[in-house]
Amino acid sequence: TRVATRGLEEPLFTIDFTDPLHGWGITERDRLVSTADGGDTWRAMARPASGGIGDICTGAPGSGWVATGTAVYGSVDNGATWARQATIPFGGGPALLRRM
């Protein structure tokens, strides 16, 4: 499926959808974005913490997790707020997560 780029400032690095309409993405510059229309348009999301984002995983529409090099954060309000869910003790960094 082709994804449109309206609302994106740079290309998407990775995306994860909960259903055909709702998804989250990480852009090539580590910005978090979300869509509610199947990828036709995207909006910026808040970042959970400083540092790079290594990966995303969505649960239900509006909820999911992001992994940084040192922690996993969860959101239930489409990325408006984030809560630390776990600490990654070895601190591998986002570059390590992307190589996995």
Side-chain angles (χ1 to χ4, degrees), residues 25-93:
I26 304 171
T27 69
E28 286 185 348
R29 293 187 192 155
D30 268 352
R31 291 184 174 102
L32 292 173
V33 292
S34 67
T35 183
D37 59 11
D40 286 338
T41 56
W42 296 85
R43 71 165 190 84
M45 297 168 58
R47 292 179 62 83
S50 61
I53 304 297
D55 206 357
I56 55 171
C57 177
T58 54
S63 69
W65 302 267
V66 297
T68 68
T70 58
V72 175
Y73 294 87
S75 176
V76 294
D77 55 10
N78 209 37
T81 60
W82 296 92
R84 185 184 290 247
Q85 304 295 306
T87 299
I88 301 170
F90 58 86

Side-chain angles (χ1 to χ4, degrees), residues 1 6 10-11 19 24 26 45 52 58 63 71-72 79 86 95 100:
T1 300
R6 287 185 294 277
E10 63 266 349
D19 60 38
W24 289 2
I26 304 171
M45 297 168 58
T58 54
S63 69
V72 175
M100 296 177 135

